[in-house]
Amino acid sequence: MQIHFIAIGGSAMHNLALALEHKGYTITGSDDVIFEPSKSRLEAKELLPETFGWFPEKINKELDAVILGMHAKPDNPELLKAQELGITIYSYPEFLYEQSKNKTRVVIGGSHGKTTITSMILHVLNYHNRPVDYMVGAQLEGFDRMVHLTEENDFIVLEGDEYLSSPIDRRPKFHLYRPNIALLSGIAWDHINVFPTFDNYVEQFRIFVDSIVKGGSITYNEEDDEVRKVVEASENAIRKLPYRTPKYEVENGQTLLETPEGPMPIEVFGKHNLSNLAGAKWICQNMGVDEDDFYEAIATFKGASKRLEKIAESTKTVVYKDFAHSPSKVAATTRAAKEQYPNRKLIAFLELHTYSSLNPEFLKEYKGALDAADSAVVFYLPESVAIKKLAAVSPEQISSAFQRDDLEIHTDATTFKDFVFEQDYDNSVLLFMSSGNYGGLDLKEVKLKIES
């Protein structure tokens, strides 16, 4: 097949392009800007566009399909040409469904935890040499790509994102997968630029549960009130399988999971990660992995990229980075770090970077999110607020939202970097939380400072 990608450089899109190239398809693509690591990875497979920009002449009737990324606009010249020629146009999730409609689809949904749970499942299956197709939102140790598609594998494991499918398809991605086996980890309001009210956001998860194939199953976090209400209210003819956080304890910075064979040390930590582990265990069992084999494999799981990822350690200091940016994720991640290191000073650095986090109305959702930290620092760039065409946000508004009098707030990248490098980090845990890059802060330099 010949497939053309409009906006090939995105994290998800370039991984799908690599997966299809690996499958033997002929791939072309366009984009107006491509950053690392997408650029190098596409270049290595000779898929990097020769020139950045949009070129309608790349669209012709020889193409079997066009895949449209979210980065493109509805008036994209290549998209308009494809529509004019009547070429089949897929969104990213539509194409994944097309590739997996004859497989058993396992879809992991939820406002938080879905990347980690998907990663845990894939780690366990890979450990036991059980090949599956997959799509996950983070680079995993031992995996070449974030997307893998074959003709022969029976299962496909999909991370089910609730964000929009494409510029011309405003449905959430996870509405299009029609799972046979599904999981729902948690519901906490996010993406307010698309879902302006909490009920509108929750409705997307109701639709997800109702989209599960009849006779299928939903494994759900019964400790989350919204999840429980959504699942229990569904009249879909599916099996409903609740899970909850397993028993565990922390001893000298080591988390021990209670198992039928006794306490087992694991690499991940924090209540939310133990809850994720419980969900992953039930999904793996639904896929034919017995409990003992699950525990054997999960003991070696070190976490998904940017999810409580340890980036530096010395005898006096340990440093983690995490993708956490929404209020519920920030609170859970901060609590996890403090629980794991109760006798160390926890210094939390949070960047407000997304549309939701910089919205003055949404800011109040962060109340108490950094309470578990001994010292809390928030960084944001007023220029980012302006670029997103939002109302200006003042440091006073942020301090009021977090309800923390000692909150340190920085709005300049240079002074923030100076602040980071001037602190005394003896007997400390540093936790960097962001979906951005703190105005260009190089965490490799932080690692050098800590480990020198």
Side-chain angles (χ1 to χ4, degrees), residues 191-211:
H191 308 305
I192 67 164
N193 54 321
V194 178
F195 309 114
T197 67
F198 179 63
D199 191 61
N200 178 229
Y201 182 71
V202 173
E203 177 63 19
Q204 311 314 311
F205 293 91
R206 297 187 189 110
I207 295 170
F208 171 63
V209 174
D210 288 342
S211 75

Side-chain angles (χ1 to χ4, degrees), residues 303-321:
S305 175
K306 299 180 184 176
R307 271 69 176 183
L308 271 174
E309 179 182 351
K310 186 189 291 185
I311 60 170
E313 186 171 20
S314 68
T315 55
K316 298 178 179 179
T317 313
V318 60
V319 185
Y320 288 90
K321 69 176 178 180

Side-chain angles (χ1 to χ4, degrees), residues 145-170:
R145 297 176 305 279
M146 293 156 60
V147 181
H148 181 62
L149 299 169
T150 68
E151 297 295 337
E152 63 272 11
N153 290 337
D154 294 329
F155 283 97
I156 184 167
V157 181
L158 298 163
E159 180 178 332
D161 183 9
E162 70 270 25
Y163 201 67
L164 304 180
S165 295
S166 86
I168 59 173
D169 186 345
R170 311 297 284 177

Side-chain angles (χ1 to χ4, degrees), residues 321-336:
K321 69 176 178 180
D322 197 282
F323 193 68
H325 52 276
S326 68
S328 61
K329 294 175 187 174
V330 169
T333 303
T334 308
R335 284 195 300 265

Side-chain angles (χ1 to χ4, degrees), residues 216-245:
S217 68
I218 176 73
T219 298
Y220 67 99
N221 179 7
E222 65 176 344
E223 294 171 321
D224 186 298
D225 291 341
E226 290 299 330
V227 166
R228 192 175 62 253
K229 283 190 284 188
V230 165
V231 172
E232 292 179 356
S234 175
E235 296 181 359
N236 194 1
I238 54 177
R239 291 177 297 137
K240 300 175 181 180
L241 310 169
Y243 71 89
R244 58 191 309 113
T245 307

Side-chain angles (χ1 to χ4, degrees), residues 248 269-272 308 327-342 346 367-373 431 433:
Y248 69 97
F269 60 86
K271 183 178 184 294
H272 67 301
L308 271 174
S328 61
K329 294 175 187 174
V330 169
T333 303
T334 308
R335 284 195 300 265
K338 190 60 186 177
E339 180 184 50
Q340 191 75 356
Y341 299 95
L346 173 59
K367 178 182 177 181
L370 291 172
D371 283 0
L431 176 60
M433 294 176 285

